[in-house]
Amino acid sequence: MHHIFKRIVVLLRSHIDQVSWQSVVIATSLHMLLTWCLLLVANEQVLLSPGTFFYYYTVTTSTVGYGDLSPSTDLGRWIVALIQIPFGLALFGVLLGKTGQTVTYLIRRAMTGDKNFAHSSNHIIIFGWHNARTKKMIDYILADTKRTDRRILLAVTEQIEHPFLSNENVDFARLTSFTDLDELERVAIRHADKVIIDGQDDDQTFTTALRISRLVKEDCHISAHFFDETKVEMLLEHCHNVECSSTKSAEILVRSMQDPGSSRVQEELLSTLHGDTQFSLQIPSNVKTMEFGKLFHHFKYDHDAILLGVAHNLSAKNMDLNPPLDYAVNAGDILHYIAQERVLSNEVDWPSLEK
């Protein structure tokens, strides 16, 4: 008996799988229309107004049956007993089954990374997966309480399921390759605002950065992490919109030996989870030339922030660290500073700082 029941369930599921949403909606709509027309013939005037009929139809067909609305004529009761409830109940079951199937499908797609994110824009893409490091990166991004509210999209090539499914700020895409154009279109690479590349090895990071550097929009910033500094040199020869970082363990060790506590300073500056952190701010295009000294005092006294230097592009090439007080700062320049929290452009009194 149990075996027969199981076969019936499997058979019903297979039929539901084959039915399209369009067919379900059309069949339900026709059944509603037929029921309304028959109740009209039966002169059930109380049930015929659109709002009342929809409520009555839903409650009765689903067999919830509050009893506050029901047919009052013999013909109306026959219509409900022979046409509305039997056929409507079958349609209601198919509708519930189809809804459950769709929800399961969407959840499964989110877990396996098969979802299409081509509609996304102004998002952050992280290429690459590392058990501990990737989680830290996401924690650091989300810890910035004044950051622009951008979605984070984690793109991987490993056969894993969504590692941050419980985090509503993180989407997940599993790609066959980081260099395949169709796959990159699926994560909306042309509309991304920021990109982090942290591949399984330097070769994957190098080829990914080389591929996407010409696909991203002009103001998209790309950050790539390498272990081999020679790869950094080669990449920068071809891609001028990529900022590369490499492991600086030797430099940090020497600096810690010469100036004890230096490693702790580096940790504080990089982490948004605790303590003062290094941030950057681009000066608006409509601001006139300013002196670094005025900016320095304004940031310290008004925002409790310390200016470190001025860069002239997103990659911070030819940055001027600790420039003289009369150093000219122009619109479009990028200020790098240390503060407890990010200083937003609209929080700075730019007119008072202009020459």
Side-chain angles (χ1 to χ4, degrees), residues 33 38 42 49 65 141 201 276:
L33 180 61
L38 291 175
S49 65
I141 293 172
D201 51 46
D276 285 70

Side-chain angles (χ1 to χ4, degrees), residues 60-127:
T60 304
T61 305
S62 63
T63 68
V64 174
Y66 292 127
D68 52 343
L69 290 173
S70 60
S72 58
T73 65
D74 289 338
L75 179 58
R77 295 189 183 99
W78 280 107
I79 291 170
V80 171
L82 299 178
I83 296 176
Q84 181 183 349
I85 291 180
F87 292 99
L89 189 59
L91 287 171
F92 193 75
V94 173
L95 184 64
L96 288 178
K98 199 68 181 175
T99 301
Q101 180 194 64
T102 302
V103 171
T104 303
Y105 171 71
L106 293 175
I107 293 174
R108 188 63 187 167
R109 282 186 69 194
M111 290 179 62
T112 58
D114 295 327
K115 191 175 177 181
N116 190 345
F117 296 97
H119 63 282
S120 300
S121 63
N122 199 36
H123 55 304
I124 299 171
I125 304 178
I126 300 177
F127 288 100

Side-chain angles (χ1 to χ4, degrees), residues 322-336:
N322 192 28
L325 294 178
D326 60 352
Y327 181 89
V329 182
N330 302 301
D333 285 346
I334 299 171
L335 304 176
H336 289 264

Side-chain angles (χ1 to χ4, degrees), residues 225 229 245-270:
H225 178 71
E229 290 191 10
S245 64
S246 59
T247 302
K248 300 291 184 182
S249 55
E251 291 89 334
I252 292 174
L253 283 172
V254 172
R255 181 57 55 205
S256 298
M257 179 272 296
Q258 293 176 334
D259 300 289
S262 294
S263 61
R264 179 60 180 165
V265 172
Q266 296 288 334
E267 182 183 344
E268 285 281 348
L269 292 180
L270 294 175

Side-chain angles (χ1 to χ4, degrees), residues 339-353:
Q340 186 71 31
E341 62 179 10
R342 184 180 298 278
V343 178
L344 301 179
S345 180
N346 59 10
E347 296 174 338
V348 180
D349 185 9
W350 300 111
S352 68
L353 299 169

